[in-house]
């Protein structure tokens, strides 16, 4: 429930054994700064920067570059560069040159499963899987309560034997605008 703001870029090229932030319900303001190289030394297993963004949580105005994560050991798992699961608000995010590798389950370039609001996002990454999964350039699965607005995906989404693939969303049950 704390609030955070980045003063400068965060260089994570030499960080190993990163633990994702779980149940985040505060406000994270990147102030236009970058998070660079997450998982490049240790290929983060399981989750991105946040495991779960809670209903009252928000992440905004941050750029994520040159990072790599892999996850989804189970069909029920979700994997995303920013978060496994979003129930809050994500806005004004840019990603570039990242790689999200999903073993099984749901994967998105930004968020695995969305039940919140995502707006003003641009992704330019690679989202890939070798198994039957649900993959999207921004979100793997957009649930009934999920909303995406003013989003752009320039991401490559590649999956063998995939259940659902989409440049923006792999499976949509919610609302997408603009």
């Amino acid at each position: 429930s704390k609030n955070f703001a980045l003063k400068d870029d965060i260089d994570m090229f030499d960080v190993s054994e990163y633990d994702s932030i779980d149940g985040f319900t505060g406000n994270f303001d990147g102030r236009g700064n970058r998070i660079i190289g997450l998982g490049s030394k240790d290929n983060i297993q399981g989750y991105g920067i946040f495991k779960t963004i809670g209903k009252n949580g928000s992440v905004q105005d941050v750029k994520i570059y040159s990072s790599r994560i892999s996850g989804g050991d189970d069909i029920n798992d979700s994997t995303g560069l920013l978060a496994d699961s979003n129930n809050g608000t994500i806005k004004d995010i840019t990603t570039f040159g990242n790689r999200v590798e999903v073993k099984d389950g749901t994967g998105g370039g930004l968020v695995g499963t969305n039940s919140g609001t995502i707006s003003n996002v641009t992704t330019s990454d690679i989202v890939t899987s070798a198994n039957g999964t649900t993959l999207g350039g921004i979100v793997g699965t957009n649930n009934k309560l999920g909303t995406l607005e003013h989003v752009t995906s320039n991401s490559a989404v590649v999956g063998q034997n995939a259940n659902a693939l989409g440049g923006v969303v792999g499976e949509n049950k919610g609302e997408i605008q603009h």
Side-chain angles (χ1 to χ4, degrees):
S1 64
K2 305 288 183 195
N3 298 319
F4 301 91
L6 293 184
K7 180 179 176 184
D8 292 308
D9 293 346
I10 297 177
D11 180 344
M12 298 188 75
F13 279 108
D14 291 328
V15 173
S16 60
E17 298 182 28
Y18 175 78
D19 286 329
S20 300
I21 301 164
D22 193 12
F24 184 71
T25 58
N27 179 42
F28 181 91
D29 186 347
R31 293 185 176 173
N33 291 297
R34 300 173 295 172
I35 297 173
I36 307 164
L38 174 67
S40 58
K41 180 177 182 179
D42 202 18
N43 191 19
I44 301 301
Q45 299 290 316
Y47 309 103
I49 296 167
F50 297 91
K51 182 176 178 186
T52 304
I53 299 171
K55 187 174 182 180
N56 295 322
S58 70
V59 178
Q60 66 185 26
D61 199 19
V62 68
K63 298 171 176 81
I64 307 167
Y65 295 164
S66 303
S67 297
R68 182 177 181 177
I69 64 164
S70 64
D73 293 329
D74 183 273
I75 190 71
N76 297 314
D77 286 348
S78 251
T79 304
L81 179 66
L82 181 66
D84 159 34
S85 176
N86 176 48
N87 298 300
T89 302
I90 296 171
K91 64 181 180 178
D92 302 323
I93 308 292
T94 301
T95 68
F96 182 80
N98 304 293
R99 184 174 184 93
V100 177
E101 298 171 350
V102 182
K103 296 174 192 166
D104 207 349
T106 299
L110 191 67
V111 173
T113 304
N114 182 50
S115 296
T117 300
I118 297 175
S119 63
N120 300 321
V121 166
T122 300
T123 62
S124 299
D125 307 304
I126 297 172
V127 182
T128 184
S129 178
N131 294 321
T133 59
T134 300
L135 302 173
I138 296 176
V139 172
T141 299
N142 189 39
N143 284 326
K144 188 175 181 180
L145 299 174
T147 299
L148 277 75
E149 51 192 24
H150 301 283
V151 298
T152 302
S153 175
N154 300 307
S155 297
V157 181
V158 181
Q160 296 177 357
N161 303 315
N163 297 325
L165 290 174
V168 173
V169 174
E171 180 181 19
N172 182 44
K173 301 173 187 174
E175 187 174 337
I176 300 174
Q177 301 175 6
H178 312 288

